[in-house]
């Protein structure tokens, strides 16, 4: 956690927003006594240092036991040199002008607190955490009833922002670190879809639409017995039949939740359909399968192939792409080629 010490929270808001992009952030005033605030990794003081209460608060901070000390960045106003000297005397490890861009302040914070990481690393970690927490809640509620579809909206921006900020490879590294199979898969597919949509130059609205569909496309898996869902290795015929029900079940969950857009509904029911009619659950053929479903199906198969499980050797992106290319007649060839270009930076 990062603490922003502010005597004018309204003035500090853009700074707080910038900090929240990389870390959990708590805003406190100069009446803070630091006694019960809990562990934190760094402090940014956006206060008027000449005020007695500001000095008192920073002296209290400096008097904490050495093991709990954290870097203190002071933003100073007015006469820079004397303000810098005053801030140093009050324990600042770094002084910056209060006029500095919040992003630049956060860059300095990251160098002080996490010297081994970049801002982009932290943004991706944070966004994956946000989207992951949301998806976990969503799947829990889907086990027994409808889901809160508006809450899915809060998962879209984290995925798109992380892909935009850090690229697909970094997102995959982050998501691969999570053990939960379904959770990992949803976030993998969402990141891959977001990267593909970005590479195709889709509009912001279409990128959001596709990312939303990717987040919930396997929501039906929440009602598949764990013994089948988490079985290491191949499923037998009966287990496969059970597993395949996740597509229509997911569609039912979304219908029961109300207000779901038609693209998300179609993607959820049909993302295992193949152009030659060999897919499930409705054995649709090419004409009946729309572009959003075709796009998601490619991303879904790719994500499943490169997933990391404790019991299997991970497949490289190149091998996964050659499997997609071998599925002629089942997947749209032109789209598979475009997909290959979109994920070419993934090792
Ligand atoms: Fe699926
Ligand atoms: Fe899937």
């Amino acid at each position: 956690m990062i603490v922003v010490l502010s005597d004018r929270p309204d003035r500090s808001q853009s700074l707080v927003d910038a900090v929240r992009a990389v870390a959990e952030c708590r805003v406190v005033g100069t009446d803070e006594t630091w006694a019960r605030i809990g562990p934190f990794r760094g402090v940014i003081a956006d206060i008027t240092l000449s005020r007695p209460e500001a000095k008192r608060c920073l002296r209290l901070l400096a008097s904490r036991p050495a093991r709990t000390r954290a870097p203190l960045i002071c933003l100073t106003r007015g006469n820079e040199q004397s303000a810098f000297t005053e801030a140093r005397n009050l324990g600042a490890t770094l002084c910056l002008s209060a006029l500095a861009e919040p992003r630049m302040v956060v860059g300095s914070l990251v160098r002080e607190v996490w010297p081994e990481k970049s801002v982009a690393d932290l943004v991706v970690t944070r966004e994956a955490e946000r989207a992951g927490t949301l998806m976990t809640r969503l799947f829990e509620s889907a086990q027994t009833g409808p889901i809160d579809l508006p809450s899915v909206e809060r998962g879209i921006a984290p995925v798109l922002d992380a892909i935009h900020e850090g690229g697909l490879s970094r997102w995959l590294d982050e998501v691969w670190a999570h053990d939960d199979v379904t959770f990992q898969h949803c976030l993998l597919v969402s990141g891959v879809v977001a990267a593909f949509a970005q590479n195709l130059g889709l509009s912001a609205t279409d990128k959001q639409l596709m990312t939303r569909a990717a987040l919930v496309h396997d929501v039906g898996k929440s009602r598949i017995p764990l013994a089948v869902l988490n079985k290491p290795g191949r499923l037998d015929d009966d287990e496969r039949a059970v597993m395949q029900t996740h597509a229509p079940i997911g569609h039912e969950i979304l219908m029961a939740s109300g207000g779901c857009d038609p693209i998300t509904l179609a993607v959820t029911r049909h993302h295992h359909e193949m152009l030659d009619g060999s897919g499930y659950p409705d054995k649709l053929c090419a004409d009946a399968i729309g572009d959003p479903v075709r796009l998601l199906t490619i991303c879904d198969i790719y994500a499943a192939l490169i997933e990391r499980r404790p019991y299997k050797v991970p497949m490289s992106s190149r091998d996964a792409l050659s499997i997609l290319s071998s599925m002629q007649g089942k997947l749209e060839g032109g789209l598979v080629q475009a997909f290959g270009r979109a994920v070419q930076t993934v090792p």
Side-chain angles (χ1 to χ4, degrees), residues 22-77:
V22 298
E24 197 185 328
C25 175
R26 180 160 166 190
V27 184
V28 301
T30 46
D31 56 349
E32 180 61 47
T33 59
W34 307 104
R36 278 184 294 194
I37 195 168
F40 50 87
R41 299 292 303 265
V43 178
I44 302 178
D46 186 14
I47 52 178
T48 307
L49 290 173
S50 54
R51 288 193 182 151
E53 60 270 28
K55 288 194 176 75
R56 188 196 58 88
C57 184
L58 288 183
R59 286 198 184 105
L60 276 177
L61 177 65
S63 68
R64 282 159 55 93
R67 66 185 159 74
T68 62
R69 297 247 178 89
L72 166 65
I73 296 178
C74 275
L75 305 184
T76 57
R77 292 184 166 77

Side-chain angles (χ1 to χ4, degrees), residues 247-263:
I249 289 174
H251 185 260
E252 274 167 34
I253 292 172
L254 294 182
M255 289 293 283
S257 303
C260 188
D261 68 273
I263 287 182

Side-chain angles (χ1 to χ4, degrees), residues 185 217-218 221 246-247 268 271-272 280 300:
H185 176 71
H217 79 282
D218 269 338
K221 284 186 180 171
H246 81 272
T268 301
H271 65 276
H272 290 285
Y280 64 86
D300 186 44

Side-chain angles (χ1 to χ4, degrees), residues 115-138:
E116 72 290 359
K117 296 200 172 171
S118 68
V119 171
D121 285 337
L122 290 163
V123 168
V124 173
T125 303
R126 186 109 172 104
E127 302 293 29
E129 249 173 45
R130 277 191 188 136
T133 307
L134 193 89
M135 294 314 295
T136 304
R137 279 202 210 118
L138 200 81

Side-chain angles (χ1 to χ4, degrees), residues 4 16 20 37 58 69 88 100 118 164 167 177 201 230 235 249 252 263 269 292 303 306 314 330 343:
V4 170
V16 170
R20 287 203 168 122
I37 195 168
L58 288 183
R69 297 247 178 89
R88 289 278 184 199
S118 68
H164 181 74
N230 293 336
L235 302 178
I249 289 174
E252 274 167 34
I263 287 182
R269 185 169 180 99
I306 64 164
K330 293 180 185 292
V343 298

